Amino acid sequence: MKSRSDIFKPTVSRPFKSISLLFDLENFTGLFGHPDIHDILSKYLNLVIDAVSRTFKGGEIYWDRDKNGKAAIAGALPMPFHTKFLGDGVLYIWRLDEFTQKQIIDLVDRVWNLKNSFPVLCEKASALLPVHPFPKRIRFGIASGTVYKLTYQNGSAEEYIGYSINLASRLQSYSRDIGFIVSGRLNIPDKTILKHGYKKCIAKKIRGFPDEIVIIDTHDYHNLDERTRSALFEELPS
């Protein structure tokens, strides 16, 4: 007879390359202080998750409008094979080999635009739901690397572990003033990075990690006060 520990002992898959994206809602736990909040939380989370999902599912990007008020329409990107709710955010994992280089930078651009336009979602939430205030900011971390799938012998659950998952989590919280950091491990060409308004630098104080080359928006980087910027980041050698 198998012991209880044997039943729940997971098997580990072969490693495969992935993209991990994690978002976190800043001060989300503050909503829990409101009475009878559960239905409202569900509606709010559905609103946010729907918006994040549109960055890869495609469709009307209602928070991004031209000067005539017309919303952008985005095409579909590869779909994540794993989605996990984390309490105040969501983790998405894709297989890296399903992406072209253009699709990778498209995903990065769309996520950055959503982060920057999050006040539009806040306005929509305030109009629909009778609670104030909602989280004012959403933070994103994106990383790439090896992932392993854990499958429990009783078939009850699957989990994923890997450096990229942990790194994405650290990147989203690394600089709250920026709120959007991408690991250089996505191997986006330097010319593409510059063309899309980003820059590469070194994040030198990621908790539990060595120095990491990261990609951040150039304006976000220079808008940091000098003390914060020099404490968290270092320019790449020229």
Side-chain angles (χ1 to χ4, degrees):
M1 179 179 294
K2 291 183 179 180
S3 69
R4 183 176 179 84
S5 61
D6 287 336
I7 293 173
F8 291 97
K9 184 178 180 181
T11 57
V12 182
S13 73
R14 291 182 179 274
F16 56 91
K17 294 293 185 179
S18 71
I19 295 176
S20 299
L21 183 152
L22 189 145
F23 79 78
D24 181 272
L25 293 162
E26 191 170 292
N27 298 324
F28 177 69
T29 53
L31 288 177
F32 288 91
H34 292 277
D36 200 19
I37 193 65
H38 297 90
D39 287 343
I40 294 172
L41 279 180
S42 177
K43 292 176 182 178
Y44 175 72
L45 285 172
N46 285 339
L47 175 69
V48 175
I49 292 172
D50 171 71
V52 175
S53 296
R54 290 179 191 226
T55 65
F56 47 83
K57 287 182 178 179
E60 184 182 67
I61 308 300
Y62 59 84
W63 55 89
D64 184 10
R65 297 182 179 273
D66 62 21
K67 60 183 180 181
N68 297 316
K70 185 177 180 180
I73 303 295
L77 298 176
M79 292 294 292
F81 66 83
H82 180 70
T83 302
K84 184 177 182 180
F85 181 61
L86 301 173
D88 52 4
V90 176
L91 166 69
Y92 302 91
I93 308 177
W94 291 260
R95 290 187 178 274
L96 179 61
D97 60 11
E98 293 183 354
F99 279 82
T100 65
Q101 278 289 349
K102 182 181 183 305
Q103 288 174 326
I104 290 175
I105 194 64
D106 281 350
L107 177 65
V108 170
D109 282 347
R110 293 178 191 186
V111 172
W112 182 85
N113 284 332
L114 175 57
K115 187 273 295 189
N116 236 32
S117 302
F118 194 66
V120 176
L121 271 70
C122 293
E123 290 178 9
K124 188 170 184 177
S126 296
L128 294 174
L129 306 172
V131 173
H132 182 79
F134 288 104
K136 294 292 191 295
R137 302 180 68 183
I138 188 170
R139 299 191 302 266
F140 291 94
I142 307 176
S144 179
T146 301
V147 163
Y148 300 81
K149 180 175 77 170
L150 305 181
T151 304
Y152 291 89
Q153 291 187 12
N154 66 351
S156 62
E158 291 181 350
E159 295 289 344
Y160 290 85
I161 59 172
Y163 187 90
S164 65
I165 298 172
N166 297 333
L167 180 58
S169 177
R170 290 287 191 268
L171 292 179
Q172 65 81 19
S173 62
Y174 184 65
S175 172
R176 293 173 183 267
D177 291 326
I178 289 179
F180 177 84
I181 303 181
V182 178
S183 169
R185 295 168 187 265
L186 269 74
N187 291 323
I188 302 171
D190 288 349
K191 287 184 178 179
T192 303
I193 290 170
L194 292 173
K195 179 180 178 182
H196 287 252
Y198 305 109
K199 71 175 274 115
K200 289 168 72 173
C201 58
I202 300 170
K204 58 185 181 179
K205 288 188 177 180
I206 304 174
R207 183 165 54 88
F209 286 79
D211 290 355
E212 182 80 15
I213 294 176
V214 297
I215 301 165
I216 58 180
D217 177 76
T218 301
H219 293 296
D220 287 347
Y221 177 80
H222 289 295
N223 284 338
L224 289 173
D225 68 79
E226 186 176 352
R227 178 178 295 181
T228 300
R229 188 168 61 244
S230 61
L232 296 179
F233 300 102
E234 182 179 320
E235 293 284 343
L236 286 168
S238 56

